[in-house]
Amino acid sequence: LLDHVDREKRIIKQRQEAWRDRTLIWAVRRVQTVYRARIAKKKLAQQRAQQLAAAMAAHEMRQLEKENIRKRRIYEHMLVEWYDQRRQQLLQATLYDDFTNAQKAKIVSRRRAEETEKRKRKKEREQHLKEILEQRRIEEWITEWEQFKKDRIAALEQKLRHCYDKPEIPEEEAIQRKLIA
């Protein structure tokens, strides 16, 4: 009888140890799972932050490039104007020597009118160019902003779906409760 009791005690003790081992293994696996999920979320957040920083840097570089192109066009335009003026001055000097004072007055009057017209056309071209550049800049900004909004909405939708379907941390469970309510 005592042998039977001892044997049953050993069997019970073995079952308890087996149960304790299974529980311990389950707990270790659960802790590992939660830890790995947390690490994965941190990596994902870092990747998103890096992607956002890269996108912002690329956007700034595009803006700087556009600004440089605009400045270069203005500089080239001013340079062409300067050469035109210089050529015109040399031409004027040559013509002034060849004509009489009366003819010079007519030429000066005509040239003033041409210069006035030229300045007017130049201002109109510059204004038109500025308007076009500003319109393009606004359109590109609107396009980029719309894409940015779509990306953020998609990311938020993905996060909310994840929180609704498979919350893994207490914050996600709180979001799930708000979504269900």
Side-chain angles (χ1 to χ4, degrees):
L1 183 64
L2 284 177
D3 284 340
H4 179 68
V5 169
D6 285 340
R7 195 176 15 196
E8 288 299 317
K9 280 183 179 181
R10 271 184 277 145
I11 290 173
I12 290 173
K13 189 173 184 178
Q14 287 174 351
R15 285 181 185 169
Q16 286 177 343
E17 287 175 3
W19 177 83
R20 192 174 341 134
D21 289 344
R22 282 192 315 268
T23 305
L24 181 62
I25 290 171
W26 178 85
V28 167
R29 285 182 180 163
R30 182 67 180 153
V31 167
Q32 285 178 342
T33 302
V34 169
Y35 177 76
R36 288 178 183 152
R38 185 167 284 166
I39 294 297
K41 285 179 186 178
K42 282 184 181 180
K43 284 183 182 178
L44 182 62
Q46 287 175 347
Q47 287 174 348
R48 286 181 182 161
Q50 288 174 347
Q51 288 173 351
L52 181 61
M56 290 177 69
H59 175 71
E60 287 179 13
M61 287 185 69
R62 283 192 304 270
Q63 292 297 85
L64 289 173
E65 184 179 350
K66 290 175 189 175
E67 183 66 21
N68 285 336
I69 289 171
R70 184 186 66 79
K71 286 181 181 179
R72 179 156 181 90
R73 285 182 184 163
I74 290 171
Y75 172 76
E76 289 171 354
H77 183 69
M78 290 172 54
L79 192 61
V80 167
E81 291 264 323
W82 183 84
Y83 276 109
D84 285 344
Q85 288 176 357
R86 183 75 177 137
R87 188 187 73 228
Q88 196 70 16
Q89 289 172 354
L90 292 173
L91 183 60
Q92 283 177 356
T94 305
L95 290 176
Y96 281 139
D97 294 338
D98 296 338
F99 292 105
T100 65
N101 288 335
Q103 291 169 331
K104 287 180 184 178
K106 289 179 184 178
I107 292 171
V108 168
S109 172
R110 183 177 52 88
R111 286 184 179 160
R112 282 185 188 149
E114 287 176 358
E115 287 177 7
T116 304
E117 184 63 28
K118 189 188 256 185
R119 278 190 238 117
K120 183 179 176 184
R121 285 193 308 262
K122 176 185 172 185
K123 285 182 181 179
E124 289 174 358
R125 283 192 309 262
E126 288 176 357
Q127 183 63 31
H128 182 67
L129 180 62
K130 286 179 183 177
E131 290 172 1
I132 289 172
L133 290 174
E134 182 65 18
Q135 185 178 8
R136 286 181 184 167
R137 186 187 66 79
I138 290 171
E139 290 172 358
E140 289 173 0
W141 182 85
I142 288 172
T143 303
E144 290 174 2
W145 182 250
E146 290 297 325
Q147 185 59 41
F148 180 70
K149 286 191 323 188
K150 288 177 184 176
D151 293 343
R152 288 199 53 196
I153 288 171
L156 181 59
E157 181 181 357
Q158 184 181 10
K159 180 181 177 184
L160 291 176
R161 285 183 191 275
H162 175 73
C163 291
Y164 185 79
D165 295 335
K166 298 175 187 174
E168 296 180 1
I169 58 173
E171 290 85 0
E172 292 179 352
E173 291 175 357
I175 292 172
Q176 181 189 34
R177 285 192 293 274
K178 286 181 182 178
L179 289 173
I180 291 174

